[in-house]
Amino acid sequence: MTADDDPRIDAIADALGRLRGLRRPAPGVERGPQARGPFGGHGVHGGHGPHGHHGGPFAEGRGRMAGLARLRMLEALAAASHPLSVSEIGEAIGVDQPRASRLVQQAVELDLVRREADPEDARRTRIALTDEGRSFAQSVRGERRAALGSALGGFTDDERAELARLLTKLADAWPRG
């Protein structure tokens, strides 16, 4: 089995992301191979190209933490089975509603997300990824998975399985606020 098709890499990435974010998924957010947590990679903070430090949605002068929170928001939206409310986004990424609202507004301005009417209540809005936002979230996930696969290259299959098991156990047991 190659690193590209090793499900233990996904399990390890998921557990690391859950530990880093220390948050619960929002209602409707799937946990599994498509739901990755927010441990960063060079695609988020640096590098060249449309999303590196020379431009893009994580490069503006709001600092590293704004970029990480925005990435967590994009990942939560990508993992969700439906567009999320601002409150659900806040729960998913561990921020209060005013902070979630600011993140959504910034992401709208960057064309990463769009607001749409809630089909059950037209007075409410839901937040959905744009094609640009989905593409960016997928590219970061791919970069992160490749880096993790490389880091685990010297591990045996048994060691990968044990690491995945232990990290998942730790993430499951971590106290939630």
Side-chain angles (χ1 to χ4, degrees):
M1 177 180 305
T2 67
D4 289 342
D5 60 2
D6 187 345
R8 291 168 294 219
I9 291 176
D10 289 325
I12 293 166
D14 182 53
L16 287 171
R18 290 169 52 210
L19 287 168
R20 176 92 184 248
L22 301 179
R23 68 193 187 285
R24 291 184 208 115
V29 175
E30 303 291 327
R31 295 301 308 177
Q34 298 302 314
R36 294 295 140 241
F39 62 103
H42 72 277
V44 177
H45 309 295
H48 299 274
H51 303 295
H53 68 277
H54 293 293
F58 297 92
E60 68 281 347
R62 298 232 181 233
R64 180 176 177 193
M65 294 312 288
L68 289 173
R70 203 166 310 128
L71 177 57
R72 289 194 317 263
M73 178 182 67
L74 295 179
E75 289 174 330
L77 288 166
S81 59
H82 61 275
L84 300 177
S85 69
V86 173
S87 296
E88 290 170 327
I89 289 170
E91 281 182 40
I93 66 173
V95 300
D96 61 21
Q97 188 163 354
R99 173 82 169 122
S101 293
R102 286 190 301 272
L103 289 168
V104 166
Q105 181 57 40
Q106 292 164 2
V108 165
E109 292 169 4
L110 294 166
D111 195 34
L112 297 172
V113 302
R114 69 179 176 279
R115 290 183 177 95
E116 47 188 56
D118 184 329
E120 296 175 14
D121 183 350
R123 296 170 296 177
R124 295 184 51 188
T125 60
R126 298 280 182 179
I127 310 304
L129 287 173
T130 62
D131 290 340
E132 171 76 13
R134 185 168 308 286
S135 175
F136 184 79
Q138 289 171 346
S139 72
V140 169
R141 180 178 181 263
E143 288 178 15
R144 181 183 309 132
R145 194 176 194 293
L148 187 55
S150 176
L152 294 171
F155 284 58
T156 66
D157 286 347
D158 287 343
E159 289 170 333
R160 286 180 186 203
E162 183 67 0
L163 180 60
R165 185 185 72 76
L166 291 171
L167 285 173
T168 299
K169 184 177 181 177
L170 179 62
D172 290 345
W174 196 270
R176 304 291 191 238

